[in-house]
Amino acid sequence: MDLNNLTNQPGEWLKGVGPEVDIVISSRIRLARNVDGYPFLTTAKEEEKRELLEVILRQLRKLEARREGEPPLMFLNLNEVSHLDRLFLVERHLISKELALGKGDRAVVLDSEESLSIMVNEEDHLRIQALCSGFQLNSLWEKIDRLDDEISQLLPYAFHKDWGMLTACPSNVGTGMRVSVMLHLPALVMTHHIDRVFQTVQKINFTVRGFYGEGTQALGDFYQISNQITLGRSEEDLIKSMQELIPQIVKYERTVRHSLLDEKGVELEDRVWRAYGMLKNARVISSKETMDLLSAVRMGVNLNLIDEVNVRTINELFIQTQPAHLQKLEGCTLPVDERDIRRAAYIRSRLN
Amino acid sequence: MDLNNLTNQPGEWLKGVGPEVDIVISSRIRLARNVDGYPFLTTAKEEEKRELLEVILRQLRKLEARREGEPPLMFLNLNEVSHLDRLFLVERHLISKELALGKGDRAVVLDSEESLSIMVNEEDHLRIQALCSGFQLNSLWEKIDRLDDEISQLLPYAFHKDWGMLTACPSNVGTGMRVSVMLHLPALVMTHHIDRVFQTVQKINFTVRGFYGEGTQALGDFYQISNQITLGRSEEDLIKSMQELIPQIVKYERTVRHSLLDEKGVELEDRVWRAYGMLKNARVISSKETMDLLSAVRMGVNLNLIDEVNVRTINELFIQTQPAHLQKLEGCTLPVDERDIRRAAYIRSRLN
């Protein structure tokens, strides 16, 4: 298995299948875990990190043997992965920017369907992530819970009977779980109703983040909603809150889309087609502009305002026009100016 | 001959033939004349205006009889022409806005090729205009000079041996002549070099005006350059100055276009193709935006940056997307909102 094989597929998270997928791009659960008997990475020495990595990978390889009938795993030592490939993995939401840009002994274990990733020596010893297209938290929870049990049999976790899972940052103590849902909310952005969503979400202790998670900008009208609290609530309880919250936002976005269609149908159509026209004709285009235009076209496809392109192509373009993806497609690293030209050419080749 | 026949042709001034036509859209000479023995229109009573109109039209009909082998003339009493048709004539640069929106007895005499128009009872008794595509002032001058001689034999002009032709406004006394050249200067606008053109032109007593002449905005990077002084210089002298000035501006625009091509070729190409993409895909578009986008595409065609459309179609779209033209093409008067939608549909039908 080779990273290059991933280049031509949109990845699990932009596959475009699953419930509510017109608005809910993907669901994700990640668990922060630490191995008992080792110091947290905030204080660990280089030798301890190296040993940890060896121990963890050795145990995870045992896991692989047990995964009969499931997608094969890929073990990547981040020090042996090029800078470009590391950014590529960030763009696919398989590793964090911190792991990609970090130093020292660290790794990621992925499955070939990109529905699973285990970061080793990120902020915690282990960051186990399960990802799927659309809105399906129950099956995701079952899957990651089972995996978590299996790993815990191989690697005893740092655990406190009152506090629960112990983590490097206190904000993760307890369940160590973060449930995130990526939403596409162009109509709420267009009408500025998004601000009300932000306020409501924050009031009930959820957070809203941009396309690449913590501290990143919203791009292409994509927003990640996730829980802020990990302590004092069970995993099932957290998932239940999310299952109550997300459908309300989805409904809100749909309502606003339809009232836009009713009241400003032609302006909406104009916006969608102009975005499509720009994508089809630009000769220089930034990653940000691409995302914004694709966002408008994506909504247009979902509202049947445009039929010249399908949602799969749009989803693929979202990921394949990202800087690292584009450079991998072109087979070389490129300066920003040149990327903007090649990006425009690539988009044209896909849309024409 | 019917005004509706003109709807489907771009008119002489946007025909796209003649010297320097990539930059010089059209050349125009107009003569202000008044009939001896009648008061200027600033003081004339309604009965005098009516009588004047009758006298002038009777004499001009004699002219028609003599025009063997030349395009037929059309006599239009403006009071009998609908508001929409009058605006249509303004858009074709065949009558002034003042004549279109004015009141009382007034008329225009046109030839079917739209290379000649004689306004009756505008600011002066007669405003004789000859128009042609491209930069060709000599032939235009020969043509209008001959016509002026013929008319003067039928209608003796108000003339003073020292001052020359007498006109309602002192700014036209002398030759009564205004020579105008319509230029397409997108590269000078884009690089802000246009300001230097304005300064130079004004210093030597020429003026720069917008798309529809005096007091109108520049649209689509079109500028009209014309003489300010009519007194103390002969017609030939004025034309000669214009023949010295215009080639310099044309050369300037060409130089800037080519240095843009050399230094920012891809950005220029991007601008042209994006403009084309917008025109091909918009669902709502104003007249002003249309002109701006067509301007970019026109330059792109002239620089061989785009070959999916020819300059004739672009020239036709410039005129046919104007409000009155559009309404005539649609066969009815339309509110602005509806026009913007129909305009977008019309452009798509022409470009797809």
Side-chain angles (χ1 to χ4, degrees):
Chain A
M1 193 173 144
D2 183 344
L3 268 189
N4 293 326
N5 292 341
L6 305 182
T7 319
N8 291 312
Q9 64 188 50
E12 173 65 31
W13 77 280
L14 267 173
K15 210 181 204 172
V17 296
E20 320 285 10
V21 79
D22 55 331
I23 292 168
V24 186
I25 304 296
S26 61
S27 307
R28 181 156 57 145
I29 301 179
R30 83 79 182 118
L31 303 173
R33 299 291 184 252
N34 289 276
V35 182
D36 196 28
Y38 285 88
F40 288 132
L41 294 167
T42 36
T43 57
K45 300 193 185 94
E46 284 308 309
E47 309 87 71
E48 289 169 318
K49 283 173 84 171
R50 187 162 314 132
E51 193 191 322
L52 245 174
L53 183 70
E54 276 169 26
V55 170
I56 291 173
L57 291 184
R58 194 183 319 131
Q59 296 302 318
L60 291 181
R61 284 204 186 267
K62 289 185 191 162
L63 195 76
E64 197 185 14
R66 299 182 195 167
R67 285 169 54 88
E68 213 171 288
E70 290 190 74
L73 294 181
M74 170 161 45
F75 289 73
L76 295 174
N77 183 325
L78 271 291
N79 279 337
E80 293 163 9
V81 172
S82 71
H83 180 72
L84 184 61
D85 278 341
R86 279 180 272 144
L87 296 181
F88 172 81
L89 291 170
V90 173
E91 289 174 1
R92 296 184 89 80
H93 291 231
L94 294 172
I95 67 172
S96 65
K97 210 164 183 171
E98 289 67 30
L99 193 77
L101 303 179
K103 283 189 195 322
D105 291 292
R106 63 210 196 286
V108 65
V109 179
L110 307 169
D111 77 343
S112 62
E113 292 193 349
E114 303 178 62
S115 61
L116 178 70
S117 100
I118 306 169
M119 290 190 280
V120 183
N121 286 355
E122 203 243 24
E123 188 178 287
D124 294 292
H125 299 165
L126 290 157
R127 284 274 173 111
I128 310 168
Q129 173 185 276
L131 186 70
C132 70
S133 176
F135 186 48
Q136 27 197 347
L137 291 177
N138 283 336
S139 56
L140 207 59
W141 169 241
E142 281 169 26
K143 181 179 176 172
I144 201 166
D145 190 33
R146 198 168 53 236
L147 181 69
D148 187 41
D149 284 347
E150 286 173 4
I151 297 174
S152 72
Q153 287 161 21
L154 300 165
L155 294 161
Y157 292 154
F159 182 84
H160 185 281
K161 69 178 174 54
D162 294 330
W163 300 340
M165 293 294 169
L166 299 178
T167 53
C169 175
S171 68
N172 289 312
V173 166
T175 58
M177 180 170 84
R178 177 144 292 146
V179 185
S180 308
V181 171
M182 175 84 80
L183 299 168
H184 185 223
L185 305 173
L188 292 175
V189 173
M190 217 180 281
T191 56
H192 307 288
H193 285 80
I194 195 75
D195 299 332
R196 286 167 66 181
V197 174
F198 288 174
Q199 287 162 16
T200 309
V201 163
Q202 276 157 10
K203 254 184 222 160
I204 55 171
N205 288 314
F206 284 81
T207 57
V208 185
R209 298 194 167 104
F211 194 61
Y212 287 117
E214 212 164 334
T216 68
Q217 250 198 319
L219 280 173
D221 308 317
F222 288 114
Y223 292 91
Q224 270 188 68
I225 306 230
S226 55
N227 62 302
Q228 208 159 20
I229 288 175
T230 55
L231 189 65
R233 294 182 69 182
S234 72
E235 288 85 347
E236 287 78 4
D237 191 28
L238 279 171
I239 288 171
K240 196 166 161 261
S241 310
M242 197 65 129
Q243 277 171 328
E244 283 164 7
L245 172 66
I246 299 300
Q248 290 181 51
I249 303 175
V250 168
K251 194 180 162 194
Y252 194 10
E253 168 72 17
R254 280 215 185 97
T255 306
V256 173
R257 284 187 187 187
H258 285 99
S259 58
L260 275 175
L261 261 187
D262 288 346
E263 289 156 30
K264 296 185 174 184
V266 70
E267 286 87 349
L268 198 65
E269 209 185 329
D270 184 57
R271 192 175 175 128
V272 168
W273 280 95
R274 280 175 183 247
Y276 182 63
M278 292 290 242
L279 289 167
K280 267 187 85 163
N281 289 283
R283 259 58 185 168
V284 188
I285 196 163
S286 72
S287 174
K288 185 187 175 328
E289 188 187 0
T290 301
M291 297 273 283
D292 290 340
L293 296 174
L294 285 172
S295 169
V297 176
R298 189 179 193 279
M299 178 178 61
V301 175
N302 284 327
L303 290 175
N304 297 317
L305 292 174
I306 184 166
D307 59 3
E308 285 192 16
V309 64
N310 59 52
V311 89
R312 192 187 158 89
T313 304
I314 297 299
N315 282 349
E316 288 177 8
L317 281 173
F318 269 115
I319 185 87
Q320 286 163 348
T321 57
Q322 299 293 323
H325 272 74
L326 187 76
Q327 291 174 90
K328 279 189 74 71
L329 283 167
E330 297 282 333
C332 55
T333 60
L334 297 164
V336 176
D337 288 3
E338 187 59 30
R339 282 210 297 266
D340 289 353
I341 295 170
R342 302 274 188 109
R343 180 179 293 111
Y346 179 72
I347 296 168
R348 291 202 308 282
S349 77
R350 293 295 306 272
L351 295 182
N352 283 309
Chain B
M1 191 174 145
D2 183 344
L3 267 190
N4 293 326
N5 292 343
L6 305 182
T7 318
N8 291 313
Q9 63 187 52
E12 172 65 30
W13 76 281
L14 267 174
K15 211 183 206 170
V17 296
E20 320 286 9
V21 80
D22 55 331
I23 291 168
V24 186
I25 304 294
S26 60
S27 308
R28 182 156 56 145
I29 301 178
R30 80 87 176 111
L31 303 173
R33 299 291 184 252
N34 289 276
V35 182
D36 196 29
Y38 285 89
F40 288 133
L41 293 168
T42 35
T43 56
K45 299 193 185 94
E46 284 308 310
E47 310 87 70
E48 290 170 318
K49 283 173 83 171
R50 186 162 313 130
E51 193 191 321
L52 245 173
L53 183 71
E54 276 170 24
V55 170
I56 291 173
L57 290 185
R58 195 184 316 130
Q59 295 303 318
L60 291 182
R61 284 202 185 271
K62 288 184 192 163
L63 194 76
E64 196 186 15
R66 298 181 194 169
R67 286 168 53 88
E68 211 170 291
E70 290 191 74
L73 295 180
M74 168 160 49
F75 289 74
L76 295 174
N77 183 326
L78 271 292
N79 279 337
E80 292 163 9
V81 172
S82 71
H83 180 72
L84 184 62
D85 279 341
R86 281 180 272 144
L87 295 182
F88 172 81
L89 292 169
V90 174
E91 288 175 1
R92 296 183 88 78
H93 290 231
L94 294 172
I95 66 172
S96 64
K97 209 162 184 172
E98 289 66 31
L99 193 77
L101 302 180
K103 283 189 191 329
D105 292 292
R106 65 211 193 285
V108 64
V109 180
L110 307 168
D111 77 342
S112 62
E113 292 192 350
E114 305 178 63
S115 62
L116 178 70
S117 99
I118 306 168
M119 291 190 280
V120 183
N121 287 355
E122 203 245 23
E123 187 179 286
D124 294 292
H125 300 167
L126 289 158
R127 285 272 173 113
I128 309 168
Q129 171 185 276
L131 185 71
C132 71
S133 176
F135 186 48
Q136 29 196 346
L137 292 177
N138 283 336
S139 56
L140 207 59
W141 168 240
E142 280 169 27
K143 181 179 175 172
I144 202 167
D145 190 34
R146 198 168 54 240
L147 181 69
D148 186 41
D149 284 348
E150 287 174 4
I151 297 174
S152 72
Q153 286 161 21
L154 300 166
L155 293 161
Y157 292 154
F159 182 84
H160 184 279
K161 69 178 176 54
D162 294 329
W163 300 339
M165 293 294 170
L166 300 178
T167 54
C169 173
S171 69
N172 289 312
V173 166
T175 58
M177 182 169 84
R178 177 144 293 147
V179 186
S180 308
V181 171
M182 176 84 79
L183 299 168
H184 185 224
L185 305 173
L188 292 175
V189 173
M190 219 180 280
T191 55
H192 306 289
H193 285 82
I194 194 76
D195 298 332
R196 286 167 66 181
V197 174
F198 288 175
Q199 287 161 16
T200 310
V201 162
Q202 276 157 11
K203 255 184 221 159
I204 56 171
N205 288 314
F206 284 81
T207 57
V208 184
R209 297 193 168 105
F211 194 62
Y212 287 117
E214 213 164 333
T216 67
Q217 252 198 316
L219 280 172
D221 308 317
F222 287 115
Y223 291 90
Q224 270 188 68
I225 307 235
S226 54
N227 62 302
Q228 209 159 19
I229 289 173
T230 54
L231 190 65
R233 295 182 69 180
S234 72
E235 288 86 346
E236 287 78 3
D237 192 26
L238 279 171
I239 288 170
K240 198 166 159 262
S241 311
M242 197 65 128
Q243 277 170 328
E244 284 163 7
L245 172 67
I246 299 300
Q248 291 181 51
I249 303 176
V250 168
K251 196 180 160 195
Y252 194 10
E253 168 72 16
R254 279 213 188 100
T255 306
V256 174
R257 284 186 188 188
H258 285 98
S259 57
L260 276 175
L261 261 187
D262 288 345
E263 291 156 30
K264 297 185 175 184
V266 69
E267 286 87 348
L268 199 65
E269 209 184 329
D270 184 57
R271 193 175 174 128
V272 169
W273 279 96
R274 280 175 183 247
Y276 181 62
M278 292 290 242
L279 289 167
K280 267 186 84 164
N281 288 284
R283 261 55 187 171
V284 187
I285 196 163
S286 71
S287 174
K288 184 184 177 329
E289 188 187 0
T290 302
M291 297 273 284
D292 290 340
L293 296 174
L294 286 172
S295 170
V297 176
R298 189 180 193 279
M299 178 177 61
V301 174
N302 284 326
L303 290 175
N304 297 318
L305 293 174
I306 184 166
D307 58 3
E308 285 193 16
V309 64
N310 59 51
V311 90
R312 191 187 160 90
T313 304
I314 297 298
N315 282 350
E316 288 177 7
L317 281 174
F318 268 115
I319 184 88
Q320 286 162 347
T321 56
Q322 300 292 324
H325 273 74
L326 187 77
Q327 292 175 88
K328 280 188 73 72
L329 283 167
E330 297 283 331
C332 55
T333 60
L334 297 164
V336 175
D337 288 2
E338 187 60 29
R339 282 209 297 268
D340 289 352
I341 294 170
R342 303 274 188 109
R343 180 179 294 111
Y346 179 71
I347 296 168
R348 290 201 308 282
S349 76
R350 293 295 306 273
L351 294 181
N352 283 309

